[in-house]
Amino acid sequence: MNTPTYDLAVVGFGFAGAAVSLQAHRRGFNVGVVVDPHGNFPVASRVASGLINPLVLKRRRMVSDAKLAWDHAVDLFGWLEQTTQTQVFENTPVAEHLATVQDDLDWNLLAERPGFAELLISETEANANKHLKINRLGFVRTSGRLLPLAYLDAAHGALEDRMVLGAVLQLAQTNGFWEAFDASGRVLIRARKMVLCEGPRAPLTETYWGDLGWALVRGEGLDVHLPGLDLNRPIHARHFLLPDRALGPDHYKVGATYAWDGLEDPQPTQAGREELEAWLKSVVSLPYEVVHHWCGVRPARKSREVLVGWHPEHPGLGVLNGLGSRGGLLAPLKAHQLLESGFAALSD
Ligand SMILES: Cc1cc2nc3c(=O)[nH]c(=O)nc-3n(C[C@H](O)[C@H](O)[C@H](O)COP(=O)(O)OP(=O)(O)OC[C@H]3O[C@@H](n4cnc5c(N)ncnc54)[C@H](O)[C@@H]3O)c2cc1C
């Protein structure tokens, strides 16, 4: 069988790999993607809650290039929705809980700060939902929810005939092409440029870039059935609560925890469930049922910097990783920047 050969090959198909391959496909590049159907590590993007929110309220800051990242994310999600006729994004602003009068005043001050004014809605609102034990709410204009499974499935559909199933064990460079081999020594894909998007386990990336300085973070969440709440937007107050229409009416996601243990074999824990349920009871006055308890690992680095770019000694080898807890928001912009900087060589 002939080895599929492309201009650009992407290894991995979480938020990073999907963004790189979709952005490349949109530019008309001949792109192929290696997808591991039996990945033995949970794929972060498939358990992500999908909040797209540049505000880090606790630290009173925005992620860097917040507006640019938002513009690229909305542009890519919109393009995919149009191409596949599938909804992948809910453009409903996230509501931040303002628990005290001081929080409310702080929000007003924050909304006036340079860099915040166009991203936050300065007027706050009193909570009108009698089942929520919440005072006031502040809204982030540039926020919403990516539907992770719908997004990845739609992206898969858009790239259908360019998907190669397998797990890459090794790379080699032959006659100006990068080749990716699986465990049996078979060449899965061949391309002039290859981008590694391995997520929180990244042995191939570490082979070329060395120690990535990981500070991986395990996260847990709950799917709950909560009849009568009638909440139609995500709310965030230490944890988040968001309507999950894909699971059906009255279904919500609650999450996510932050933990630095159990990274080798990430599993939901009793402690994680208790933390989330205690929080849920502190903000909602209705009975609920937990229908699922899930867990994943965020690919975060000690430096908090996203690893993106082309290898200095191997210009045909690129990487996008280290997206941390905001992969949904950041991946489209970072993928765009990666392709911009490799553009000239790709279109030679
Ligand atoms: C509990 C939890 C909640 C989160 N909530 C949010 C949220 O609300 N909003 C948000 O933006 N982010 C959230 N995140 C973070 C988000 O999940 C990550 O930023 C993002 O998923 C990282 O994407 P990735 O593509 O780098 O990694 P992954 O999604 O892990 O994808 C990596 C892919 O590469 C594949 N792969 C790896 N090695 C190989 C190989 N050798 N050969 C073939 N394939 C390979 C893997 O199988 C996998 O498919 C959350 C994360 C967790 C754990």
Side-chain angles (χ1 to χ4, degrees):
M1 202 180 79
N2 285 342
T3 304
T5 302
Y6 296 96
D7 292 335
L8 176 72
V10 178
V11 176
F13 199 64
F15 289 164
V20 173
S21 41
L22 289 175
Q23 296 283 40
H25 180 57
R26 285 176 81 185
R27 283 161 191 255
F29 294 139
N30 185 21
V31 57
V33 190
V34 184
V35 185
D36 180 0
H38 311 293
N40 58 3
F41 202 66
V43 176
S45 308
R46 296 199 84 87
V47 298
S49 317
L51 284 181
I52 301 292
N53 185 3
L55 178 66
V56 191
L57 187 57
K58 203 168 65 177
R59 300 206 172 87
R60 305 266 184 275
R61 69 171 189 86
M62 288 284 176
V63 302
S64 53
D65 293 330
K67 178 65 168 56
L68 199 58
W70 166 258
D71 289 344
H72 279 272
V74 170
D75 180 56
L76 182 64
F77 305 154
W79 172 82
L80 187 61
E81 287 186 334
Q82 218 169 23
T83 306
T84 62
Q85 294 297 302
T86 308
Q87 187 184 11
V88 303
F89 182 60
E90 290 173 350
N91 200 342
T92 314
V94 173
E96 296 277 1
H97 180 209
L98 307 173
T100 64
V101 174
Q102 188 60 49
D103 287 346
D104 199 22
L105 291 171
D106 286 350
W107 182 275
N108 287 308
L109 292 175
L110 202 61
E112 284 170 9
R113 265 172 44 183
F116 287 73
E118 61 178 338
L119 308 185
L120 301 186
I121 296 172
S122 57
E123 294 79 27
T124 62
E125 280 179 20
N127 166 44
N129 187 325
K130 65 178 182 194
H131 303 298
L132 280 180
K133 297 185 249 177
I134 270 181
N135 295 340
R136 294 189 72 79
L137 296 163
F139 299 96
V140 184
R141 207 188 301 272
T142 50
S143 68
R145 183 179 178 229
L146 178 65
L147 309 172
L149 298 183
Y151 171 63
L152 292 172
D153 290 349
H156 197 293
L159 298 159
E160 187 68 59
D161 52 344
R162 293 142 183 282
M163 295 295 203
V164 176
L165 296 186
V168 179
L169 187 72
Q170 210 178 330
L171 304 178
Q173 226 182 343
T174 315
N175 300 328
F177 282 86
W178 283 91
E179 292 180 329
F181 297 82
D182 69 8
S184 70
R186 185 167 63 104
V187 183
L188 289 169
I189 201 165
R190 180 184 289 121
R192 293 176 61 198
K193 284 186 178 270
M194 191 159 301
V195 178
L196 303 177
C197 300
E198 293 173 279
R201 261 188 199 167
L204 294 171
T205 308
E206 282 170 338
T207 303
Y208 291 90
W209 271 267
D211 182 2
L212 302 183
W214 283 128
L216 301 177
V217 189
R218 190 169 55 80
E220 297 179 42
L222 303 175
D223 292 338
V224 297
H225 184 224
L226 212 167
L229 182 60
D230 259 345
L231 180 67
N232 59 8
R233 62 167 73 250
I235 55 166
H236 178 249
R238 189 157 65 87
H239 294 305
F240 62 76
L241 175 65
L242 60 87
D244 195 346
R245 294 180 184 85
L247 290 176
D250 300 325
H251 281 79
Y252 297 85
K253 281 196 183 308
V254 183
T257 60
Y258 283 73
W260 291 265
D261 60 353
L263 296 165
E264 277 305 306
D265 179 24
Q267 298 292 338
T269 65
Q270 187 59 28
R273 179 169 175 158
E274 282 168 12
E275 177 183 332
L276 293 170
E277 286 201 61
W279 176 78
L280 184 60
K281 284 175 188 151
S282 77
V283 292
V284 175
S285 58
L286 291 168
Y288 61 87
E289 180 199 358
V290 175
V291 291
H292 185 46
H293 181 186
W294 38 267
C295 166
V297 172
R298 303 172 180 90
R301 300 170 76 210
K302 284 180 211 135
S303 64
R304 299 279 173 251
E305 279 172 22
V306 175
L307 178 65
V308 58
W310 300 94
H311 196 284
E313 286 154 32
H314 303 286
L317 190 62
V319 65
L320 177 53
N321 207 329
L323 289 167
S325 57
R326 301 198 184 232
L329 172 66
L330 298 177
L333 170 64
K334 298 296 174 185
H336 164 78
Q337 290 170 338
L338 180 76
L339 294 172
E340 282 288 294
S341 60
F343 183 80
L346 254 179
S347 48
D348 279 345

